[in-house]
């Protein structure tokens, strides 16, 4: 928790000052993962399906006892997957012409270099450690199970029967044991050395060497060298990987890249939408106002027009009245004058 | 008119023992023990979720479908407040209300789905997983719920008679609407983007780098159709409390939104075709999944698109209403296709998921609660009519 | 037709080409649809109840 707070402060400072507090890297860099991190190489051509690894894993992780004991190999007849009580399972495959007998493959978290689970978790419960393990922190997990959706290898499992404190369950690469300087439980227990623990780079060299030395024994491909951007747990086999239920259509794109495009659209929407929508608002407002203005001015004009008409009429009427009056007065005056004249004439006579 | 408004909500006493109330009561009574079972026995006790299928009906229906169908709020608010379509004003409040209730129900349903619901604030306050699309969805939904609450609050404040506070909130309308559209764009699209991380599990005809855009565009069609659909449902049940403006503009809303939905569906269909082209998945169309894809594309996108167009042209309100329901079903189908029907398509049939009846039971329970609350609010607050004291304010 | 593609360039050549053609088709189709949608039917205006 404190790390997250520290990180958050770091981001705040970086966002504010653009300073050098943030670790530097550019987006175009080809990230190669932590140097000298550890991993395991599983050579299925050496695996005999004894389930010793399953037993050891169960013990070192204090997992509940299985329904059938670990030395009962009848369980191999059905295909199993990991579940909340087992971090690893061994399955048996019939591969036809590629091997004389059945082939066994151990299955657990592959500890991806760029884990899909970590990319997907919205509380960052998963961390790819410099040592190689992808570790899970149950103390922040909300239980949304998006990590399980995201994992391309169908690894993480969930405690569906736990009412209040369900956890995501998966192989830890025996991180606690590694810290004590011990080997992972399963690796230590394997009687056939089908599992090799070591630095990832060294494991790739070893695998290449085996494939080169025994070209008839192996398919020329190290599963996990590039799958989904590479994994810390890798496999070499004598049969095509599909025959061992391993997906070969996953591609080499690291999981975080799948969502990075969508995530980088977020700031663009935040940046552009208000401008666009605000603009539309202004335009619609303006239109509204213009329509309004037009209406009012039309009304005003109409009123003015009537007013003017009325004025003109009035004026004309008044003019007429005035004229009439004038004429009347004039007439009266002339008449009066004429009368006066007459009177005078009368008097003069 | 004014007298009709003031008396409407008070005068109409609805009887208590209606069929609706009885059925709602029964569903809620069934929901309570299921809730108890969920929180005492864990997810396994009430669901068919398992390690291969960690997400089921709750995420597919309650979350993805629920959010899409609650899109009416932002679509209507944007049309009226931002694009100046004032003639649809009467549709805003009901749409905002259903949006607000819809989102509340989504969050409520999530409490059942996530393992430790009391930790839902963790992504924001304890440990920020910012690389996750779900972080963005969570942040946007939380913020948008707040925005919807504020957008809705004038109705509640009018009911409570808090004039001053109401005036403050109303002044924020434009800002809230823009923020609402931004947040909706983000989380509607991001619900699709959540599946970008799983190209190996989702069928290639449904998986596309365009998923976020598909989700956003289809949410607009869903929102428009839901407004039409809910409008006709509400009219049937609450016409007695609707005011003149509401009744008069009802068909105008139907025609306008129908036309918009028709155009959106046309665009949606086209970009889905572009999606197939982008992935070069043409050859998959002749597989069984491909036929199913065509059913969705033609039967639930293209045909509704034309039905809307014909309805708008012929002024056939009835046809538009039915098409709205049709479109809504199409969106439901699309979301369920992505979450349930084509997810994990490569697994053998016996490892695939089908919902437990209790999962569906809890979803029905959640929806019922929503309907009951909706009913309470529209019969008490000024949703379908304008409060007489605030008439001039619009 | 069933020849497989070996380079990204070739893949993009094909998919982007198809998309340009579809896009033109869409623009034409959309215009027709727009016309169809806006051509008045025989009935006028918003029907009353
Ligand atoms: S295999 Fe799955 S669980 Fe393991 S690190 Fe990779 S993505 Fe995570
Ligand atoms: S279930 Fe837990 S660990 Fe997995 S993504 Fe959700 S919060 Fe993270
Ligand atoms: S590394 Fe440890 S946890 Fe993982 S499978 Fe081996 S024993 Fe189990």
């Amino acid at each position: 928790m404190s790390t997250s707070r520290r990180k958050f402060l770091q981001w705040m400072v970086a966002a504010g000052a653009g300073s050098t507090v943030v670790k530097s890297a550019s987006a175009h860099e080809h990230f190669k993962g932590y140097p000298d991190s550890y991993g395991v190489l599983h050579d299925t051509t050496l695996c005999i399906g004894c389930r010793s690894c399953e037993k050891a894993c169960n013990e070192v992780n204090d997992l509940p006892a299985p329904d059938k004991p670990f030395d009962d190999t009848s369980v191999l007849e059905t295909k199993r997957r990991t579940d909340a009580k087992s971090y690893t399972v061994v399955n048996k495959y019939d591969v036809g012409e590629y091997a004389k007998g059945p082939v066994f493959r151990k299955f657990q978290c592959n500890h991806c270099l760029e884990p899909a689970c970590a990319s997907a978790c919205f509380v960052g419960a998963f961390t790819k450690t410099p040592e190689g393990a992808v570790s899970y922190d149950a103390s922040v997990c909300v239980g949304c199970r998006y990590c399980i959706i995201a994992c391309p290898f169908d690894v993480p499992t969930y405690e569906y029967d736990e009412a209040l404190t369900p956890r995501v369950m998966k192989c830890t690469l025996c991180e606690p044991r590694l810290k004590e300087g011990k080997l992972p439980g399963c690796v230590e227990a394997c009687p056939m050395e089908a599992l090799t623990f070591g630095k990832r780079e060294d494991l790739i060299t070893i695998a290449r060497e085996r494939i080169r030395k025994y070209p008839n024994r192996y398919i020329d491909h190290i599963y996990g060298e590039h799958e989904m951007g590479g994994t810390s747990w890798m496999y070499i086999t004598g049969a095509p990987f599909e025959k061992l239920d391993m997906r070969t259509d996953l591609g080499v794109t690291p999981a975080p890249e799948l969502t990075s495009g969508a995530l980088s659209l977020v700031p663009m929407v935040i940046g552009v939408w208000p401008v666009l929508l605000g603009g539309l608002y202004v335009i619609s407002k303006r239109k509204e106002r213009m329509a309004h203005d037009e209406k009012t001015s039309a009304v005003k004009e109409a009123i003015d027009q009537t007013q003017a008409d009325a004025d003109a009429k009035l004026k004309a009427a008044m003019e007429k009245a005035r004229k009439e009056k004038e004429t009347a007065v004039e007439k009266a005056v002339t008449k009066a004058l004429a009368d006066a004249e007459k009177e005078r004439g009368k008097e003069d006579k | 008119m004014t007298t009709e408004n003031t008396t409407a909500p008070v005068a109409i006493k609805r009887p208590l023992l209606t069929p609706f109330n009885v059925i709602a009561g029964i569903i809620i009574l069934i929901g309570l023990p299921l809730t108890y079972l969920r929180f005492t026995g864990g997810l396994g006790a009430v669901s068919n979720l398992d390690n291969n299928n960690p997400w089921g009906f709750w995420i597919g229906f309650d979350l993805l479908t629920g959010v899409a169908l609650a899109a009416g709020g932002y679509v209507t608010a944007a049309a009226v407040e931002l694009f100046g379509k004032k003639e649809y004003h009467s549709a805003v409040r009901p749409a905002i209300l259903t949006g607000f209730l819809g989102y509340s129900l989504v969050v409520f349903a999530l409490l059942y789905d996530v393992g430790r619901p009391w930790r839902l604030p963790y992504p924001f306050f304890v440990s920020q997983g910012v690389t996750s699309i779900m972080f963005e969805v969570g942040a946007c939904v939380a913020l948008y719920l707040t925005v919807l609450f504020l957008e809705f609050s004038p109705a509640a404040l009018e009911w409570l008679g808090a004039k001053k506070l109401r005036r403050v909130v109303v002044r924020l309308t434009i800002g809230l609407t823009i923020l609402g559209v931004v947040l909706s764009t983000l989380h509607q699209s991001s619900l699709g983007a959540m599946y970008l991380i799983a190209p190996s599990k989702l069928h290639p005809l449904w998986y596309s780098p365009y998923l976020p855009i598909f989700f956003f565009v289809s949410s607009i069609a869903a929102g428009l159709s839901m407004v039409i659909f809910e409008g006709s449902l509400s009219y049937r049940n609450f016409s007695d409390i609707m005011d003149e403006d509401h009744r008069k503009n009802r068909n105008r809303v139907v025609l306008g939104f129908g036309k918009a939905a028709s155009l959106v569906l046309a665009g949606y269909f086209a970009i889905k075709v572009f999606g197939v082209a982008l992935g070069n998945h043409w050859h998959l169309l002749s597989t069984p999944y491909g036929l199913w894809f065509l059913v969705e594309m033609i039967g639930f996108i293209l045909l509704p698109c034309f039905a809307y167009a014909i309805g708008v042209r012929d002024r056939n309100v009835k046809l538009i209403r039915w098409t709205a329901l049709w479109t809504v079903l199409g969106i439901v189908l699309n979301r369920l296709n992505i979450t349930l029907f084509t997810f994990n398509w490569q697994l053998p049939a016996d490892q695939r998921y089908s919902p437990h009846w209790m999962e569906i039971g809890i979803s029905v329970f959640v929806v019922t609660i929503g309907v009951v609350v909706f009913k309470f609010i529209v019969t008490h607050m000024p949703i379908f009519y304008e409060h007489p004291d605030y008439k001039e304010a619009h | 037709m069933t020849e497989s593609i070996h380079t990204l360039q070739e893949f993009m050549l094909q998919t982007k080409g198809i998309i340009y053609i579809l896009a033109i088709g869409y623009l034409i189709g959309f215009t027709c649809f727009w016309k169809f949608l806006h051509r008045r039917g025989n009935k006028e205006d918003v029907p009353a109840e």
Side-chain angles (χ1 to χ4, degrees):
Chain A
M1 223 175 286
S2 67
T3 24
S4 111
R5 201 156 298 152
R6 194 166 346 112
K7 215 180 255 165
F8 189 70
L9 280 177
Q10 223 176 50
W11 296 337
M12 292 271 287
V13 174
S19 72
T20 49
V21 200
V22 216
K23 298 170 211 161
S24 77
S26 67
H28 284 292
E29 208 153 309
H30 178 203
F31 298 101
K32 297 202 189 78
Y34 290 103
D36 295 332
S37 73
Y38 292 101
V40 177
L41 176 69
H42 178 36
D43 187 337
T44 64
T45 67
L46 300 172
C47 181
I48 54 169
C50 65
R51 302 183 68 213
S52 308
C53 53
E54 285 187 38
K55 182 162 185 267
C57 180
N58 177 279
E59 279 160 10
V60 302
N61 290 299
D62 289 324
L63 295 173
D67 301 336
K68 284 185 183 168
F70 284 110
D71 48 18
D72 182 351
T73 50
S74 70
V75 296
L76 292 171
E77 296 312 318
T78 46
K79 296 274 175 295
R80 295 171 301 150
R81 58 154 295 153
T82 52
D83 58 39
K85 292 175 186 152
S86 46
Y87 293 169
T88 184
V89 293
V90 178
N91 275 331
K92 182 169 112 175
Y93 299 94
D94 181 19
V95 294
E97 82 260 36
Y98 292 101
K100 283 191 202 83
V103 172
F104 302 94
R105 174 175 70 93
K106 180 184 181 296
F107 168 66
Q108 72 301 303
C109 172
N110 285 332
H111 299 276
C112 306
L113 300 187
E114 300 284 1
C117 54
S119 167
C121 178
F122 71 157
V123 287
F126 293 96
T127 325
K128 177 76 177 172
T129 65
E131 294 75 39
V134 173
S135 70
Y136 161 73
D137 178 4
S139 75
V140 292
C141 174
V142 182
C144 67
R145 309 182 303 285
Y146 188 27
C147 48
I148 310 180
I149 292 280
C151 173
F153 301 107
D154 292 324
V155 168
T157 69
Y158 196 65
E159 294 183 306
Y160 287 100
D161 296 326
E162 198 60 57
L164 296 177
T165 56
R167 292 166 298 171
V168 171
M169 304 294 272
K170 74 166 195 71
C171 154
T172 61
L173 197 66
C174 280
E175 207 189 355
R177 282 172 63 89
L178 294 186
K179 286 213 172 101
E180 294 168 21
K182 292 186 196 152
L183 282 176
C186 54
V187 175
E188 194 178 76
C190 180
M192 301 302 293
E193 290 189 34
L195 299 169
T196 313
F197 179 85
K199 293 214 169 112
R200 187 173 184 271
E201 279 128 68
D202 299 342
L203 295 177
I204 292 174
T205 316
I206 293 171
R208 288 237 171 83
E209 193 61 14
R210 285 190 200 169
I211 293 170
R212 192 186 63 77
K213 257 195 192 149
Y214 309 102
N216 295 329
R217 191 183 169 124
Y218 295 104
I219 299 285
D220 185 12
H221 183 86
I222 307 170
Y223 192 97
E225 185 180 3
H226 299 299
E227 273 72 15
M228 292 302 291
T231 57
S232 291
W233 207 296
M234 294 170 293
Y235 307 77
I236 47 176
T237 69
F241 297 99
E242 309 91 80
K243 299 250 177 221
L244 305 181
D245 270 359
M246 296 167 83
R247 299 219 26 192
T248 51
D249 57 350
L250 297 178
V252 296
T253 310
E257 224 159 79
L258 294 168
T259 51
S260 78
L263 283 173
S264 37
L265 275 180
V266 173
M268 290 302 110
V269 170
I270 296 176
V272 173
W273 248 211
V275 178
L276 221 66
L277 297 171
L280 276 170
Y281 169 68
V282 171
I283 292 172
S284 77
K285 251 270 123 82
R286 210 181 117 77
K287 255 198 207 142
E288 206 174 283
R289 187 157 8 92
M290 266 164 50
H292 183 253
D293 284 358
E294 224 160 72
K295 213 160 136 200
T296 41
S297 74
V299 168
K300 196 163 164 275
E301 218 163 78
I303 291 176
D304 286 356
Q305 191 58 48
T306 8
Q307 190 64 43
D309 285 357
D311 282 359
K313 239 185 229 159
L314 190 64
K315 218 164 144 200
M318 272 165 71
E319 185 74 0
K320 202 170 154 211
R322 196 175 53 88
K323 273 215 181 110
E324 269 166 13
K325 218 182 202 168
E326 255 169 27
T327 3
V329 170
E330 233 164 64
K331 258 186 198 155
V333 170
T334 342
K335 198 177 170 236
L337 281 176
D339 285 352
E341 198 77 351
K342 260 186 211 160
E343 286 295 302
R344 209 183 297 147
K346 251 184 223 169
E347 269 168 32
D348 285 352
K349 269 180 204 164
Chain B
M1 263 264 303
T2 315
T3 46
E4 181 195 311
N5 284 337
T6 31
T7 50
V10 196
I12 291 161
K13 279 268 172 286
R14 286 153 188 275
L16 201 62
L17 269 179
T18 59
F20 170 84
N21 287 1
V22 172
I23 295 173
I26 292 175
I27 293 175
I28 289 173
L29 281 182
I30 297 176
L32 295 176
L34 293 185
T35 306
Y36 176 77
L37 207 58
R38 154 68 185 88
F39 289 102
T40 51
L43 284 168
V46 292
S47 75
N48 280 345
L49 300 174
D50 62 27
N51 292 319
N52 286 326
N53 306 287
W55 284 358
F57 192 71
W58 291 336
I59 295 292
F61 184 75
D62 301 7
L63 177 64
L64 267 78
T65 309
V67 168
L69 299 191
Y74 88 88
V75 173
T76 314
V80 173
E81 307 294 354
L82 301 181
F83 306 158
K85 296 271 173 206
K86 296 290 180 219
E87 62 267 36
Y88 306 144
H89 187 265
S90 59
V92 173
R93 275 206 178 164
I96 294 283
L97 173 63
T98 31
F100 175 59
L101 286 180
Y103 277 86
S104 310
L105 292 182
V106 166
V107 175
F108 181 53
L110 274 183
L111 301 180
Y112 287 85
D113 184 80
V114 301
R116 308 196 204 197
W118 47 92
R119 285 185 175 177
L120 274 175
Y122 271 31
F124 315 117
F125 300 114
V126 177
S127 177
Q128 297 79 14
V130 289
T131 60
S132 171
I133 297 280
M134 197 185 278
F135 178 86
E136 190 219 321
V137 172
C140 290
V141 168
L143 286 174
Y144 186 51
L145 195 55
T146 319
V147 168
L148 278 172
F149 175 74
L150 290 175
E151 284 183 313
F152 166 68
S153 62
L157 293 172
E158 283 167 21
W159 180 54
L160 296 170
K163 292 200 181 184
K164 267 212 194 106
L165 199 53
R166 178 193 172 278
R167 209 172 315 130
V168 175
V169 183
V170 166
R171 212 171 292 149
L172 297 174
T173 306
I174 298 304
L176 284 175
T177 309
I178 292 185
L179 187 58
V181 177
V182 169
L183 292 170
S184 295
T185 310
L186 289 176
H187 72 258
Q188 291 286 2
S189 60
S190 293
L191 282 173
M194 286 207 304
Y195 281 84
L196 289 177
I197 196 97
S200 58
K201 297 185 182 177
L202 189 57
H203 191 280
L205 282 173
W206 279 270
Y207 183 93
S208 164
Y210 291 147
L211 263 178
I213 299 169
F214 293 165
F215 267 58
F216 172 60
V217 174
S218 57
S219 84
I220 300 175
L224 293 166
S225 303
M226 274 306 272
V227 171
I228 299 174
F229 177 58
E230 282 163 12
S232 57
L233 279 191
S234 298
Y235 189 75
R236 198 174 296 165
N237 294 303
F238 303 110
S239 64
D240 48 350
I241 50 172
M242 287 179 179
D243 67 10
E244 199 50 40
D245 182 32
H246 213 100
R247 287 202 208 119
K248 221 173 50 214
N249 280 322
R250 224 162 61 79
N251 287 337
R252 200 184 292 271
V253 171
V254 170
L255 289 173
F257 277 40
K259 186 193 247 184
S262 176
L263 291 172
V264 173
L265 284 175
Y268 179 49
F269 181 81
I271 57 175
K272 291 270 280 185
V273 175
F274 293 158
V276 177
L278 186 81
N280 218 18
H281 293 316
W282 303 104
H283 62 287
L284 293 173
L285 289 177
S286 55
T287 63
Y289 275 105
L291 294 181
W292 186 233
F293 182 74
L294 289 177
V295 167
E296 184 191 322
M297 286 287 283
I298 294 172
F300 289 92
I301 301 174
L302 204 56
L303 290 181
C305 168
F306 284 134
Y308 265 138
I310 292 169
V312 171
R313 252 174 58 116
D314 298 348
R315 301 284 182 250
N316 186 343
V317 170
K318 207 165 179 187
L319 176 61
I320 299 178
R321 290 229 174 84
W322 283 109
T323 311
L325 178 62
W326 188 359
T327 309
V328 166
L329 290 179
I331 303 293
V332 175
L333 177 69
N334 172 259
R335 299 307 195 257
L336 293 184
N337 269 340
I338 285 167
T339 48
L340 309 179
F341 303 145
T342 79
F343 192 78
N344 273 337
W345 66 289
Q346 290 182 322
L347 286 185
D350 63 327
Q351 290 174 34
R352 297 290 300 278
Y353 164 90
S354 58
H356 194 283
W357 73 264
M358 287 199 260
E359 282 174 80
I360 298 177
I362 286 176
S363 293
V364 172
F365 167 69
V366 169
V367 173
T368 307
I369 291 188
V371 175
V372 169
V373 176
F374 180 84
K375 205 174 158 209
F376 173 83
I377 292 181
V378 297
T379 45
H380 288 81
M381 297 183 197
I383 304 297
F384 290 126
Y385 57 93
E386 295 202 11
H387 198 289
D389 298 357
Y390 303 92
K391 261 204 128 16
E392 76 296 340
H394 295 288
Chain C
M1 237 13 262
T2 44
E3 277 168 55
S4 53
I5 292 174
H6 293 281
T7 60
L8 178 61
Q9 169 66 10
E10 209 181 325
F11 179 78
M12 289 182 63
L13 213 51
Q14 174 167 330
T15 50
K16 304 295 160 188
I18 294 175
I19 284 181
Y20 276 116
I21 292 168
L22 286 174
I24 294 168
Y26 169 63
L27 288 177
I28 295 169
F30 191 82
T31 316
C32 297
F33 182 63
W34 180 273
K35 281 240 175 88
F36 174 78
L37 188 58
H38 286 85
R39 204 163 37 196
R40 270 288 131 78
N42 13 5
K43 275 181 226 149
E44 272 299 311
D45 244 18
V46 188
E49 258 336 290

